[in-house]
Amino acid sequence: MCGIVGIIGTQPVAPLLVDALKRLEYRGYDSAGVATIEGNHLDRRRAEGKLVNLEARLKASPLSGTVGIGHTRWATHGAPTERNAHPHATETVAIVHNGIIENFFSLKTELQAAGYAFHTDTDTEVVAVLLTQALDKGLKPVEAFRAVLPRLEGAFALAVLFDGETDLLIAARHGPPLAIGHGDGEMYIGSDAIALSPFTDQVTFLEDGDWAVLTASSAAFFDKTGATVERRAQTSSAMHMTVDKGNHRHFMEKEIHEQPEVMSHTLAHFLDFSSGTARDNRAPIDFGAIDRLALSACGTAYYAGLIGKYWMERVARLPVDIDVASEFRYREMPLKKGGLALFISQSGETADTLASLRYCKENGQHIGAIVNVPESTIARESDAIFQTLAGPEIGVASTKAFTCQLSVLVSLAIAVGKARGAIDAAKEVELIRALTEAPRYANKALKLERQIEKIAGDLAKVRHILYLGRDTNYPLALEGALKLKEISYIHAEGYAAGELKHGPIALIDENMPVVVIAPHDRIFEKTVSNMQEVAARGGRIILITDEKGAAEASIEAEHVVVMPNMPEILTPIVYAIPVQLLAYHTALAMGTDVDQPRNLAKSVTVE
Ligand code: G6P
């Protein structure tokens, strides 16, 4: 993952690089660093941990160069120490890298045999040393870069600075995304357009295999063969996106509270509430002609997909194959030509999801993407984009993107059901009328926050928690457990309530809290039986249900969170809110770093 930036201009760039890195910290925060050319020589400052440490380092020892590169790291090769922090440099080259150089070991061995020394445990350093070797052989910087690029295997986005070259920056993309920003007498490199948004809205997204040579006033683009190519700049919408916490303590809290509004925007984009019909904005895919759907995603987006499977099969009568993208991409799934493959991703950059997409493309599938970032690689490689209108999601633990993904999936299930003749007009109106109410119920769910905060105080004292649910609330139980473990570091597992007796019941004792997500739906009674099994063994039940469910549960629960009664189709969307609040407040009680939990990153551009 990692975030990279580069700036070339006429004013000191170190403060601007740090400003851009702040917007990329979601990609990793194990260490950070910048390098500029001071006088005529490369110089750099690096610090372990978050950007504030680098800022302090720069305050004590400023850099004043007008060309520079910066990096915020999510460690892959080498511990997150200052020694392993980017930029990596030799006397003549400094480099920042996002991705993995897969053949670094053989290259390093070769370079060591040629007498070059290495000072870090990273894969990246090998690129700096290879470039140095090429310069030592007498090549000029651009030619050295041209010679080295084909030797690198793996996935990388790179920005390179050369000693003594105050009007030159080189960038390359092979896998992870990279954007070039065009300013007035200044040029920029960034892992995404948001990083560049304080500087410019004119952005060129490099195509896979591209590289670019920048001066303060020009950009030349080359493709993977080394031939000059035209790459147009486009106006990025990122400039208008606000990324502050408002009155909230954390981005995650803010994003949880934004959900009624953003789910409303997203639903309204796909559904016409006044007529009760699904909007026809799915071109160019003919939903009526599809007889099977392949779904793939990672993390929270995958759990959204699992819920989507229930809807697609129940509402649209369309069989769905779904898998996490890291498995999907390698399991050689047979696909009938002309099928639909749908990929769900907040960032639109997740490496495994993108690889699964490409597999499906090669196998003749129509490609649809549910993405939050319309300029992302997944969006750009898809035939149809179904955008979640969640706005920028900064908290590493996904919240509003999840409920917006669900909003899109349920809307698509209605559209597909209609196109396939699986639902009639009356059913379509009924479902859409129900969904119209989702934001209102979500607002009501947010009002339960104080009660959930109290429950969280109890959960913060335990080491293990089980989440149970059935039907569409089973994937929500998986998501609840994921959310909790991501940000509180408490071990949590989600289970289909009916599976309890096949294993996890052995864990139940008086120390084990069990969060049961059980609206009064068609299988409520079955879930109640599973709760009885927990209660009989002394387990501590935290029941999230509705008024009807609370009245009929006949269970001694330690806590009951009572949601309003609502149509069944809404429950996984609206019940996501108490589940997220429970994780958030438990993490607060534990005192963890909610927005930037340890070891995680928001955008995962490596395998
Ligand atoms: C990371 C994030 C998760 C996210 C997953 C998939 O693990 O921390 O919040 O669900 O990646 O990301 P995507 O951008 O593809 O939705």
Side-chain angles (χ1 to χ4, degrees):
M1 282 89 72
C2 308
I4 68 175
V5 289
I7 303 178
I8 180 165
T10 48
Q11 54 177 326
V13 290
L16 307 178
L17 290 168
V18 171
D19 189 26
L21 287 175
K22 281 184 186 157
R23 292 164 177 267
L24 288 175
E25 230 182 348
Y26 71 88
R27 302 174 80 90
Y29 30 80
D30 287 333
S31 65
V34 295
T36 64
I37 297 182
E38 298 296 296
N40 224 13
H41 292 294
L42 283 173
D43 201 356
R44 58 182 172 160
R45 305 283 179 271
R46 300 176 298 162
E48 199 173 311
K50 296 191 176 170
L51 266 175
V52 286
N53 301 343
L54 176 66
E55 279 185 294
R57 189 68 50 93
L58 279 165
K59 200 166 171 210
S61 177
L63 290 174
S64 62
T66 57
V67 55
I69 52 179
H71 189 268
T72 179
R73 180 169 189 239
W74 186 81
T76 58
H77 294 55
T81 57
E82 183 173 333
R83 193 170 69 92
N84 288 328
H86 299 222
H88 291 295
T90 64
E91 298 257 301
T92 45
V93 173
I95 183 161
V96 287
H97 167 218
N98 168 30
I100 295 174
I101 306 296
E102 287 172 358
N103 60 336
F104 85 99
F105 190 73
S106 60
L107 292 173
K108 187 170 174 175
T109 311
E110 174 194 316
L111 288 161
Q112 280 170 328
Y116 287 92
F118 283 78
H119 307 284
T120 77
D121 312 313
T122 67
D123 53 328
T124 306
E125 193 182 8
V126 80
V127 186
V129 179
L130 266 180
L131 284 167
T132 303
Q133 186 192 42
L135 294 172
D136 289 347
K137 286 181 184 158
L139 295 181
K140 295 265 181 274
V142 176
E143 292 320 310
F145 194 82
R146 188 188 287 278
V148 163
L149 204 50
R151 302 213 57 202
L152 307 177
E153 288 169 20
F156 49 84
L158 299 169
V160 191
L161 197 58
F162 294 88
D163 192 60
E165 299 282 348
T166 49
D167 199 22
L168 176 68
L169 259 186
I170 301 186
R173 174 191 179 186
H174 191 272
L178 203 58
I180 304 296
H182 304 255
D184 189 9
E186 256 181 9
M187 295 292 290
Y188 315 92
I189 300 168
S191 291
D192 68 20
I194 293 184
L196 306 183
S197 61
F199 314 127
T200 182
D201 65 350
Q202 291 304 302
V203 172
T204 304
F205 293 96
L206 293 188
E207 301 287 328
D208 213 5
D210 279 0
W211 52 290
V213 175
L214 309 182
T215 70
S217 56
S218 70
F221 298 98
F222 304 90
D223 67 11
K224 53 174 156 273
T225 68
T228 306
V229 279
E230 276 280 315
R231 294 283 182 242
R232 289 256 183 90
Q234 50 183 276
T235 304
S236 160
S237 54
M239 205 150 192
H240 310 291
M241 291 174 176
T242 49
V243 278
D244 62 69
K245 287 186 221 159
N247 293 329
H248 295 276
R249 283 167 290 185
H250 296 100
F251 279 109
M252 183 178 179
E253 184 187 42
K254 173 175 173 251
E255 288 159 5
I256 290 173
H257 283 265
E258 281 173 354
Q259 287 178 108
E261 192 184 337
V262 293
M263 73 172 67
S264 162
H265 288 320
T266 304
L267 285 165
H269 185 65
F270 292 93
L271 305 173
D272 183 338
F273 290 152
S274 55
S275 64
T277 52
R279 291 187 202 279
D280 190 8
N281 51 5
R282 59 186 186 268
I285 297 168
D286 177 5
F287 286 164
I290 297 155
D291 56 11
R292 188 173 158 186
L293 171 66
L295 259 177
S296 189
C298 297
T300 290
Y302 168 67
Y303 294 141
L306 275 183
I307 294 171
K309 172 182 163 77
Y310 282 81
W311 286 328
M312 280 292 175
E313 294 188 339
R314 184 170 291 150
V315 177
R317 308 304 300 156
L318 181 68
V320 177
D321 288 301
I322 177 162
D323 213 340
V324 286
S326 52
E327 289 300 314
F328 189 105
R329 64 181 291 186
Y330 291 118
R331 79 179 164 96
E332 298 171 33
M333 184 177 167
L335 292 162
K336 201 171 114 195
K337 278 219 163 26
L340 174 62
L342 200 53
F343 301 90
I344 310 168
S345 176
Q346 187 283 126
S347 63
E349 301 293 352
T350 303
D352 286 320
T353 310
L354 181 59
S356 302
L357 180 156
R358 289 175 178 163
Y359 172 82
C360 289
K361 213 170 197 179
E362 279 160 20
N363 284 274
Q365 304 301 291
H366 298 293
I367 308 293
I370 299 177
V371 285
N372 200 37
V373 182
E375 292 136 344
S376 60
T377 312
I378 289 178
R380 283 183 286 128
E381 294 198 13
S382 297
D383 302 321
I385 305 170
F386 308 103
Q387 197 191 341
T388 48
L389 301 179
E393 190 182 64
I394 307 298
V396 164
S398 183
T399 52
K400 62 175 180 171
F402 176 67
T403 45
C404 285
Q405 286 158 355
L406 293 180
S407 302
V408 175
L409 283 159
V410 76
S411 305
L412 287 182
I414 295 171
V416 175
K418 187 174 155 187
R420 288 168 52 79
I423 53 169
D424 59 17
K427 186 71 184 170
E428 183 186 8
V429 171
E430 178 199 318
L431 291 169
I432 293 175
R433 293 268 180 271
L435 287 163
T436 315
E437 299 286 306
R440 186 168 71 83
Y441 288 119
N443 263 318
K444 288 193 168 177
L446 286 168
K447 302 233 155 60
L448 298 169
E449 185 162 9
R450 293 287 76 83
Q451 184 200 0
I452 292 170
E453 191 176 350
K454 289 201 186 94
I455 302 171
D458 289 347
L459 290 192
K461 296 176 191 131
V462 306
R463 292 308 307 146
H464 308 277
I465 301 179
L466 265 183
Y467 281 72
L468 300 179
R470 276 178 180 265
D471 203 83
T472 50
N473 292 301
Y474 157 49
L476 186 60
L478 298 173
E479 168 62 7
L482 175 69
K483 211 87 302 169
L484 188 86
K485 64 188 149 197
E486 284 186 298
I487 59 171
S488 73
Y489 317 142
I490 294 172
H491 171 230
E493 279 192 59
Y495 255 90
E499 273 290 294
L500 181 73
K501 53 192 165 298
H502 298 294
I505 199 160
L507 299 170
I508 304 288
D509 63 14
E510 60 287 351
N511 298 316
M512 175 64 97
V514 182
V515 177
V516 186
I517 306 165
H520 193 284
D521 55 14
R522 69 184 91 180
I523 42 174
F524 177 69
E525 296 305 330
K526 309 278 178 202
T527 314
V528 170
S529 302
N530 302 135
M531 280 194 288
Q532 298 283 12
E533 293 155 12
V534 173
R537 288 158 181 87
R540 299 162 52 188
I541 295 169
I542 295 151
L543 172 61
I544 307 177
T545 185
D546 49 27
E547 289 146 5
K548 265 193 193 160
E552 290 178 27
S554 64
I555 287 277
E556 274 294 303
E558 190 169 299
H559 298 283
V560 184
V561 176
V562 184
M563 301 278 284
N565 296 328
M566 67 189 77
E568 196 174 311
I569 191 97
L570 297 183
T571 58
I573 307 175
V574 180
Y575 278 57
I577 290 178
V579 162
Q580 295 162 349
L581 287 171
L582 196 59
Y584 174 70
H585 285 286
T586 307
L588 273 193
M590 298 287 289
T592 55
D593 189 338
V594 173
D595 280 336
Q596 295 182 329
R598 70 183 180 205
N599 304 340
L600 296 178
K602 187 147 190 73
S603 178
V604 183
T605 53
V606 294
E607 280 198 50

